[in-house]
């Protein structure tokens, strides 16, 4: 994205008016916001060792029950990626929005903690977290050792830990396909989307439901929605704009505009 094209896109009068009027802002993020931190997005998270697996098939209860070592190994590989990563300029810009008089809610589909490590507090995680494993049998929270797991032997398989409470298998603390999202978080996400006047949708393909309803709810409630994504995608409802390009370039620009109003 050249800065000239960015300036032209930002000068859109409707977009400028929406940024000027914003008071209740929602940031809704997907895997693309962490792409520039080196975290593979969900649809391309099968790089290297994992090339022959379909994430939607690995991210299920059935896959874990059928092959717990493969699934636990995959999540530990992803958790190691996150531990080795740093928040990027997009995470930092979003965190800076909290230090303004805006009412800000950060809602993420991501299971990493890069928003929190950038300084965003109270992030609504709709799909759980890599850092909150729990027992698959009794639900007891499990504390992972701070050090990285011993390198998976075949670079792929790793035995899940055993629950200290009931000796059941520990599973990743994420929401798998076919599992319900945390009810309170989803309800709060829908309510803030319906009440906001600006929603920034950052780095999501918008294909996973019910989370993908969040920008739709905002648009139908009259909010302005700005999609930040190299792949242009508009829902075609109400007041929306697509800023084509990487989040780490667009978010600092957008936040600078919001802060200099
Ligand atoms: C459920 C955790 C029912 C695990 C994930 C309608 C209504 C309800 C459900 C459904 C429905 N239709 C279908 C369903 C079923 C299903 C679903 O949505 N399937 C899809 C595939 C069609 N939904 C479910 O199963 C949900 N559960 O409905 O339960 C129920 C109810 C009651 C009781 C019991 C059951 C559960 C869904 C949650 C699944 N878990 N994650 C894990 O991470 O392993 S979802 C997974 O995909 C990730 O969390 C991710 O957040 C999510 C969405 O992906 P994105 O974040 O958008 O990432 P993606 O890679 O797709 O796209 C990245 C984007 O970034 C791209 O657009 C790219 O262009 C862009 N990008 C790249 N680089 C950059 C960038 N953008 C900016 N800057 C860059 N540099
Ligand atoms: Zn247990």
């Amino acid at each position: 994205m050249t800065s000239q094209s960015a300036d032209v896109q930002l000068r859109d009068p409707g977009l400028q008016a929406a940024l000027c009027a914003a008071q209740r802002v929602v940031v809704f993020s997907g895997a693309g916001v962490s792409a520039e931190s080196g975290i593979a997005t969900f649809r391309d998270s099968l790089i290297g060792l994992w090339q022959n697996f379909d994430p939607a098939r690995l991210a299920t209860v059935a896959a874990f029950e059928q092959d717990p070592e493969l699934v636990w190994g995959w999540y530990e590989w992803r958790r190691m990626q996150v531990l080795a990563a740093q928040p990027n300029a997009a995470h930092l810009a979003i965190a800076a929005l909290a230090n303004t008089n805006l009412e800000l809610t950060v809602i993420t589909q991501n299971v990493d903690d890069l928003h929190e490590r950038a300084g965003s507090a109270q992030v609504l995680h709709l799909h759980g977290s890599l850092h909150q494993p729990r027992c698959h049998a009794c639900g007891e929270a499990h504390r992972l050792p701070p050090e990285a797991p011993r390198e998976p032997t075949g670079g792929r398989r790793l035995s899940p830990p055993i629950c200290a409470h009931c000796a059941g298998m520990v599973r990743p603390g994420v929401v798998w396909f076919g599992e319900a999202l945390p009810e309170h978080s989803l309800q709060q996400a829908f309510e803030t989307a319906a009440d906001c006047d600006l929603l920034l949708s950052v780095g999501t393909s918008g294909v996973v439901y019910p989370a993908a309803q969040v920008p739709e709810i905002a648009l139908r409630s009259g909010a302005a929605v700005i999609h930040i994504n190299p792949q242009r995608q508009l829902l075609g409802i109400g007041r929306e704009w697509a800023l084509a390009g990487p989040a780490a370039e667009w978010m600092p620009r957008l936040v600078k505009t919001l802060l200099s109003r």
Side-chain angles (χ1 to χ4, degrees):
M1 171 183 71
T2 62
S3 60
Q4 200 273 339
S5 74
D7 292 340
V8 167
Q9 293 181 71
L10 270 182
R11 269 206 294 270
D12 174 294
L15 178 60
Q16 280 298 322
L19 291 172
C20 270
Q23 281 305 317
R24 297 180 309 286
V25 177
V26 168
V27 172
F28 176 68
S29 70
V33 79
S34 299
E36 281 138 300
S37 296
I39 305 289
T41 63
F42 194 72
R43 268 132 198 83
D44 59 29
S45 62
L46 291 167
I47 47 181
L49 293 174
W50 303 98
Q51 263 160 357
N52 306 322
F53 293 90
D54 169 3
R57 289 219 20 246
L58 274 183
T60 62
V61 172
F64 180 65
E65 291 179 345
Q66 189 188 340
D67 194 344
E69 293 191 348
L70 175 70
V71 174
W72 181 258
W74 182 47
Y75 279 93
E76 281 297 274
W77 173 71
R78 288 172 59 189
R79 188 171 68 89
M80 291 308 105
Q81 272 198 317
V82 170
L83 289 175
Q86 292 305 320
N88 64 55
H91 297 108
L92 295 167
I94 292 163
L97 276 180
N99 312 321
T100 62
N101 61 355
L102 291 170
E103 272 178 57
L104 175 71
T105 307
V106 180
I107 303 168
T108 190
Q109 301 170 89
N110 298 341
V111 293
D112 65 48
D113 60 346
L114 294 177
H115 279 304
E116 290 87 344
R117 285 164 55 194
S120 290
Q122 279 112 29
V123 177
L124 270 178
H125 279 265
L126 297 184
H127 293 158
S129 166
L130 287 170
H131 302 289
Q132 289 162 359
R134 62 178 189 273
C135 176
H136 189 49
C138 72
E140 180 86 0
H142 178 80
R143 283 180 59 76
L144 286 166
E147 72 280 356
R150 55 182 172 71
E151 192 50 37
T153 41
R156 205 170 269 169
R157 309 176 69 80
L158 204 56
S159 300
I162 297 301
C163 171
H165 187 70
C166 78
M169 268 193 308
V170 171
R171 57 163 284 175
V174 300
V175 177
W176 276 327
F177 287 99
E179 290 189 311
L181 277 61
E183 183 130 358
H184 177 68
S185 300
L186 186 62
Q187 198 49 41
Q188 203 181 339
F190 284 173
E191 283 165 9
T192 42
D195 180 49
C196 74
D197 47 32
L198 175 66
L199 183 138
L200 306 177
S201 174
V202 193
T204 180
S205 58
V207 297
V208 175
Y209 283 83
Q213 288 174 261
V214 168
E216 290 168 29
I217 291 168
L219 279 168
R220 293 190 194 288
S221 308
V225 170
I226 303 173
H227 304 274
I228 294 101
N229 192 322
Q231 314 286 331
R232 280 179 66 81
Q233 54 197 28
L234 290 172
L235 299 171
I237 321 159
R239 293 188 299 152
E240 57 176 347
W241 292 264
L243 296 176
E249 285 184 31
W250 269 118
M251 286 315 294
R253 295 180 93 89
L254 277 175
V255 168
K256 190 169 161 228
T257 307
L258 281 167
L259 299 182
S260 59
R261 298 179 304 176

